């Protein structure tokens, strides 16, 4: 079972992009304190994202004819690894680059590709994902937001999305909505629509989280009129498209690196205080060893994407294991530091520790909860 | 060479020689010579010996599927240990004995020590071969045994990688057995595998089994003289997985899993033994931690790429 996941080396041409990319990243994070860098993929900096786009680091798998780099998921692995391990602020382009771009490329019309993709590749069109609703979290097929087909071929949109990451900063939302039938029809009758967030009838209210950040929001649609070309892919095929999209969302190296800025800050602390006892060495080694295996697993999943597969089960397996590790990091480092009460801990490290500690529950919620992912794995095992 | 041409006959050989009944007989102290002779005659013991020294010249990574099969079938003899020992001895120009060789790397129980004719210690470049003089562990049906007075610490990395490869083979089998048991065993009118609580456990088991396989592959990638970080990552990851996999497999099997006549215990006892042999996860975490801290200022991701 899962025998297709094997050690896979990054091609040399992808490794080769690291130095230039590093220089760009170093400039962007130079002024950022560690606790800001620990925010990484919720850190928002539109000008940095545009710089990445100009330098050709976005839309890596998109063909050159649409402004992309025509490279492989391995290239994206390298770029994401560099960005996240440095704690660069990637939120502005994150969703467009990871999901919306590939989605539009696969399912969009030629006009839609021409219209959106070049700007996504430049880091100029920012996207968010409207899947969750107040009544539809894990049970995504129960969404109620509705788009009624209009006589001119357009759509009339009503309803509400919630937890929409970056809605306040985004140009567009790709929303999963009901275009026919009722909630009882479940996966049938759902479609994906690209919603221009500047249209009349849309209200966006930021939601503040327990760390004081407002990375997600509620989005209300009140008789929003959409043109016919808002539909992406086929009417009624929304569920199938979303499933393909989630394989992209779940498989990247972002599922192992959310706590790495904290690990590095802690290791620097150990170096500074000169702590070298065996318990400390074991903890450093244990976290490093686990990450080494997770990184190879993540690369193995990336290799399946390169091979043109949609590794839904493998990505779920990887994400569940990876986020479990990410969540263990603040717990273990917290215990380590507080087990040495006479050792001074820099306030910046403490802020970073508490930030990661507080936000860690989200690692196994965003992109599908632990229980839902394990259900997908169980189906892959032939149990359901 | 197409590895499948080696894997299939080796799998058939093991299935013939090492039926669960034959494994139990050896564990109970029965005569293992027929089983061992089967491996000798197959020629597979020289799989890792260089071609110019009369072997098949496989790399450790090539041989990984073969070694995993040994774990998968709970082969009760040191076939993998002997493969590695024969390769090291051949490279050092020492003639290997015909019998089973084990690798002693510390003061703890030596895997398969009770069924060995010889023990390898020393270093990879200067291996020392001694006749096996061992003391039983007293653990029920144990094929491991103590060997004292030998220094084989320098062989610990390669022995750890071997143990990692065996764990990964056994882990895959335990996963398959447990999933199929969950589909067969019915309670409350339906297979227990339909219960979400059971499914979630099995998903964790599967994650750990895949992680163990990848960890073992990391160990095998640098050959018979494994790089220390590779050996550390491999044995740490597989040892961590071994305990968790054994625990979940037994939980899902219920009482029958711990009965002697059911095959699961043949594998889970081995998982525990291999986890503890040649350094547990804690030992190798310490080794890797030292390596990591010896490179001050290096970010984790850079260390991993170089490691
Ligand atoms: C930081 C963050 C960013 C997010 N960004 C976005 C975004 O950009 N766009 C978007 O659409 N959504 C987003 N989400 C929402 C996310 O997708 C949902 O939180 C997630 O799908 C779970 O839904 P819920 O929060 O309503 O929890 P619920 O579905 O209510 O689940 C609560 C608990 O019940 C469990 N549960 C539910 N059903 C089952 C079941 N069948 N079996 C076993 N257990 C079950 C869950 O596993 C969980 O433990 C984001 C969430 C977070 C935390």
């Amino acid at each position: 079972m899962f025998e297709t996941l094997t050690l896979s080396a990054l091609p040399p041409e992808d490794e080769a992009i690291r130095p230039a990319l590093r220089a760009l990243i170093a400039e962007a994070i130079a002024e950022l304190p560690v606790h800001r860098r620990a925010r990484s993929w919720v850190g928002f900096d539109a000008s940095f994202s545009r710089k990445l786009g100009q330098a050709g680091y976005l839309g890596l798998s998109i063909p050159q004819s649409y402004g992309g780099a025509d490279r492989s998921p391995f290239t994206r692995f390298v770029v994401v690894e560099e960005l996240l391990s440095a704690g660069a602020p990637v939120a502005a382009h994150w969703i467009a680059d990871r999901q919306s771009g590939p989605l539009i490329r696969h399912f969009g019309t030629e006009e839609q590709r021409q219209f959106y993709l070049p700007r996504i590749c430049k880091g100029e069109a920012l996207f968010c994902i409207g899947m969750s609703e107040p009544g539809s979290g894990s049970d995504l097929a129960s969404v109620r937001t509705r788009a009624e087909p209009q006589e001119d071929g357009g759509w009339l949109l009503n309803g509400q999305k919630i937890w929409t990451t970056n809605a306040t900063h985004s140009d567009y939302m790709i929303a999963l909505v009901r275009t026919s039938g009722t909630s009882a029809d479940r996966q049938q009758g759902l479609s994906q629509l690209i919603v221009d967030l500047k249209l009349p009838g849309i209200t966006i209210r930021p939601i503040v989280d327990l760390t004081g950040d407002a990375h997600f929001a509620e989005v209300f649609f009140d008789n929003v009129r959409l043109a016919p070309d808002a539909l992406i892919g086929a009417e009624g095929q929304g569920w199938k498209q979303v499933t393909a999209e989630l394989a992209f969302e779940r498989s990247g190296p972002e599922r192992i690196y959310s706590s790495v800025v904290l690990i590095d800050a802690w290791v620097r602390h150990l170096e500074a205080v000169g702590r070298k006892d065996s318990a400390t060495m074991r903890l450093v080694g244990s976290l490093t060893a686990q990450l080494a295996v997770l990184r190879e697993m993540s690369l193995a999943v990336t290799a399946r994407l390169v091979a043109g597969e949609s590794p839904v089960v493998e990505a779920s397996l990887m994400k569940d294991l990876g986020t479990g590790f990410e969540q263990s990091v603040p717990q273990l480092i917290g215990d380590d530091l507080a087990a040495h009460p006479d050792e001074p801990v820099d306030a910046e490290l403490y802020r970073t520790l508490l930030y990661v500690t507080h936000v860690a529950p989200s690692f196994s919620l965003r992109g599908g909860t632990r229980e839902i992912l394990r259900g997908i794995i169980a189906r892959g095992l032939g149990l359901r | 060479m197409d590895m499948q041409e080696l894997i299939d006959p080796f799998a058939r050989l093991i299935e013939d020689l090492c039926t669960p009944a034959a494994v139990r007989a050896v564990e109970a102290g029965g005569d293992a010579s027929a089983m061992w002779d089967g491996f000798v005659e197959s020629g597979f013991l020289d799989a890792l010996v260089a071609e110019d020294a009369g072997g098949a010249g496989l790399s450790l990574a090539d041989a990984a599927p073969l070694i995993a099969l040994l774990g998968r079938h709970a082969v009760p003899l040191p076939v993998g240990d002997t493969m590695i020992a024969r390769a090291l001895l051949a490279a050092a120009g020492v003639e290997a004995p015909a019998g089973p060789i084990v690798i002693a790397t510390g003061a703890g129980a030596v895997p398969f020590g009770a069924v060995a004719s010889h023990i390898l210690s020393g270093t990879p470049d200067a291996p020392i071969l001694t006749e096996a003089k061992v003391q039983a562990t007293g653990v029920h049906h144990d094929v491991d045994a103590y060997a004292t007075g030998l220094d084989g610490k320098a062989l610990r990395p390669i022995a750890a990688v071997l143990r990692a490869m065996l764990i990964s083979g056994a882990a895959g089998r335990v996963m398959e057995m447990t999933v199929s048991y969950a589909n067969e065993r019915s309670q409350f009118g339906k297979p227990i595998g339909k219960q979400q609580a059971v499914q979630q456990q099995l998903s964790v088991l599967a994650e750990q089994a895949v992680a163990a396989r990848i960890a073992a592959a990391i160990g095998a990638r640098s050959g018979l003289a494994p790089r220390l970080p590779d050996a550390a990552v491999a044995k740490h990851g597989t040892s961590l997985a071994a305990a968790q996999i054994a625990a979940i497999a037994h939980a899902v099997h219920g009482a029958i899993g711990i009965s002697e006549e059911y095959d699961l215990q043949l594998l889970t006892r081995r998982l525990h033994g291999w986890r503890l042999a040649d350094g547990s996860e804690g030992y190798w975490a310490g080794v890797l931690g030292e390596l990591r801290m010896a490179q001050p200022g290096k970010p984790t991701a850079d260390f991993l790429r170089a490691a």
Side-chain angles (χ1 to χ4, degrees):
Chain A
M1 279 182 238
F2 309 115
E3 238 94 274
T4 55
L5 292 183
T6 53
L7 289 195
S8 315
L10 284 166
E13 67 269 23
D14 293 326
E15 289 284 4
I17 68 174
R18 290 189 199 269
L21 176 57
R22 279 191 178 193
L24 200 63
I25 293 171
E27 198 187 317
I29 62 170
E31 305 291 310
L32 285 184
V34 180
H35 78 277
R36 303 289 328 166
R37 288 199 272 126
R39 279 160 167 81
S40 192
W41 54 298
V42 296
F44 187 92
D45 181 346
S47 77
F48 175 58
S49 292
R50 276 196 300 276
K51 278 188 201 151
L52 286 173
Q54 280 151 15
Y57 295 116
L58 303 184
L60 289 159
S61 60
I62 307 268
Q64 279 170 354
S65 51
Y66 300 117
D70 218 352
R71 297 184 67 154
S72 83
F74 279 138
T75 325
R76 179 169 186 273
F77 185 99
V78 170
V79 171
V80 169
E81 179 168 64
E82 288 295 329
L83 289 168
L84 296 190
S85 54
V90 297
H93 68 266
W94 193 247
I95 287 165
D97 177 62
R98 178 175 73 183
Q99 291 169 251
S100 314
L103 180 86
I104 292 170
R105 189 209 156 182
H106 284 294
F107 299 108
T109 61
E110 188 53 32
E111 288 71 30
Q112 286 170 326
R113 292 176 185 174
Q114 300 278 4
F115 184 73
Y116 295 107
L117 294 181
R119 285 187 296 147
I120 287 179
C121 296
K122 282 194 220 128
E124 288 170 2
L126 311 190
F127 278 72
C128 59
I129 306 164
M131 295 191 194
S132 307
E133 297 181 4
S136 304
S138 299
D139 183 12
L140 186 57
S142 69
V143 291
R144 288 157 186 262
T145 296
R146 214 181 161 86
E148 289 292 346
Q150 302 297 291
E151 274 180 10
D152 64 352
W155 309 87
L156 188 66
L157 184 64
N158 278 292
Q160 182 193 349
K161 294 291 175 183
I162 195 169
W163 315 123
T164 317
T165 298
N166 272 334
T168 41
H169 302 292
S170 293
D171 303 299
Y172 304 99
M173 168 193 282
I174 297 189
L176 180 71
V177 303
R178 183 156 289 290
T179 46
S180 70
T182 68
S183 299
D185 294 311
R186 307 283 301 159
Q187 286 91 340
Q188 316 296 319
L190 300 177
S191 305
Q192 283 187 298
L193 297 173
I194 306 182
V195 182
D196 182 339
L197 292 173
K198 284 172 216 66
L199 288 173
I202 300 179
T203 309
I204 303 176
R205 268 195 224 134
I207 305 172
V208 179
D209 80 4
L210 76 177
T211 72
D213 290 347
H215 43 83
F216 44 28
E218 287 179 290
V219 183
F220 299 88
F221 306 110
D222 181 13
N223 286 318
V224 180
R225 296 200 166 273
L226 301 176
D229 66 0
L231 179 71
I232 169 108
E235 206 254 286
Q237 293 299 303
W239 186 259
K240 227 181 83 204
Q241 293 171 202
V242 157
T243 308
E245 185 183 346
L246 285 171
F248 284 108
E249 172 166 358
R250 287 171 183 157
S251 53
E254 56 266 33
R255 302 307 179 178
I256 63 177
Y257 281 135
S258 301
S259 303
V260 79
V261 169
L262 172 60
I263 296 180
D264 284 345
W266 171 64
V267 169
R268 282 194 299 276
H269 163 82
L270 297 176
E271 286 166 4
V273 298
R275 180 138 61 80
K276 289 206 167 93
D277 60 284
S278 61
T280 305
M281 293 299 110
R282 278 203 294 276
L283 184 53
V284 172
S286 167
L287 296 177
T288 309
Q290 290 178 70
L291 201 51
V293 174
L294 289 168
R295 179 174 184 270
E296 291 297 344
M297 290 181 74
S298 181
L299 261 175
V301 175
T302 303
R304 302 330 302 161
L305 291 175
V306 172
E309 297 169 15
S310 179
V312 176
V313 180
E314 290 82 353
S316 302
L317 193 142
M318 172 68 233
K319 177 176 182 282
D320 188 36
L321 207 55
T323 53
F325 166 77
E326 291 177 334
Q327 289 177 330
S328 76
V329 169
Q331 199 179 332
L332 294 167
I333 290 180
D335 179 39
D336 173 81
L337 292 173
H340 297 85
D342 300 317
E343 190 180 274
V345 174
D346 184 72
E348 187 54 32
L349 173 57
Y350 187 70
R351 271 197 293 280
T352 305
L353 169 68
L354 270 292
Y355 168 75
V356 178
T357 303
H358 293 160
V359 86
S362 73
F363 300 166
S364 64
L365 295 173
R366 58 187 183 188
T369 69
R370 173 175 296 133
E371 290 71 25
I372 295 303
L373 295 176
R374 289 182 181 172
I376 294 170
I377 300 166
R379 185 170 297 120
L381 289 169
L383 294 162
R384 312 176 45 197
Chain B
M1 179 178 8
D2 178 6
M3 272 307 295
Q4 209 58 41
E5 286 173 21
L6 288 179
I7 297 171
D8 293 341
F10 196 59
R12 280 196 299 275
L13 177 78
I14 295 178
E15 278 159 28
D16 283 351
L17 292 174
C18 308
T19 59
V23 171
R24 284 189 174 80
V26 172
E27 286 196 339
D31 181 12
S33 55
M35 190 186 281
W36 182 252
D37 290 346
F39 283 107
V40 174
E41 283 155 24
S42 74
F44 274 102
L45 296 179
D46 285 332
L48 296 169
V49 173
E51 273 178 297
D52 56 16
L58 296 188
S59 73
L60 193 60
D62 286 337
L66 304 178
I67 294 174
L69 279 168
L70 299 167
R72 199 179 157 78
H73 293 275
V75 171
L77 299 174
V79 177
D81 298 67
T82 304
M83 284 179 178
I84 287 168
R86 292 179 76 93
L88 295 178
L89 289 168
V94 181
E95 189 165 350
I101 309 170
V102 292
I103 306 173
T105 69
V110 178
F112 309 108
V115 287
S117 75
H118 289 80
I119 301 178
L120 198 75
S121 57
T123 69
D125 295 329
I128 299 166
L129 198 62
T130 43
E131 276 187 35
K133 285 195 205 60
V134 299
Q135 296 85 49
T137 62
V139 176
H140 181 68
H141 282 181
D142 202 1
V143 290
D144 303 349
Y146 298 114
T148 46
L150 301 168
D151 181 4
K153 189 165 186 285
L155 295 173
R156 198 171 289 159
I158 182 62
V161 170
L162 168 63
R163 242 43 82 193
M165 294 161 85
L166 291 168
I167 287 173
S168 105
R173 177 83 199 291
V174 168
M175 167 169 79
E176 290 167 23
M177 281 180 79
T178 310
V179 168
S180 67
Y181 183 78
N183 273 329
E184 284 154 21
R185 168 72 173 168
S186 228
Q187 284 294 282
F188 299 99
K190 59 183 179 186
I192 55 168
K194 297 281 172 222
Q195 303 284 357
Q196 194 186 46
V198 174
Q199 290 174 355
Q200 302 260 314
Q201 294 275 306
L202 289 171
S203 299
V204 174
L205 194 167
E207 290 169 7
Q208 291 297 322
V210 175
R213 193 163 48 74
I214 296 287
I218 290 173
R221 70 184 168 190
S222 48
L224 285 175
R227 297 167 57 258
L228 203 50
D230 282 352
V233 167
K235 187 61 166 63
H236 176 273
T238 49
S239 298
L240 210 57
Q244 213 179 335
I245 287 170
I248 295 174
H250 277 293
V252 170
H253 272 87
I256 199 166
I258 64 160
S259 67
E260 187 164 65
E261 69 172 30
Y262 193 81
D263 290 347
L264 180 66
Q265 52 90 9
L266 297 177
L267 292 151
T268 54
R269 284 189 296 116
R270 215 71 91 210
L271 284 177
H272 289 302
W274 292 334
R275 168 181 172 239
L276 302 180
D278 307 306
S280 65
E281 63 270 29
Y283 171 79
W284 286 107
V287 170
L288 194 69
E290 302 270 1
L291 291 171
R292 167 95 170 78
M293 296 305 283
Q295 302 187 28
K298 194 169 218 173
T300 303
D302 286 0
F303 178 81
L304 293 182
R305 263 197 307 282

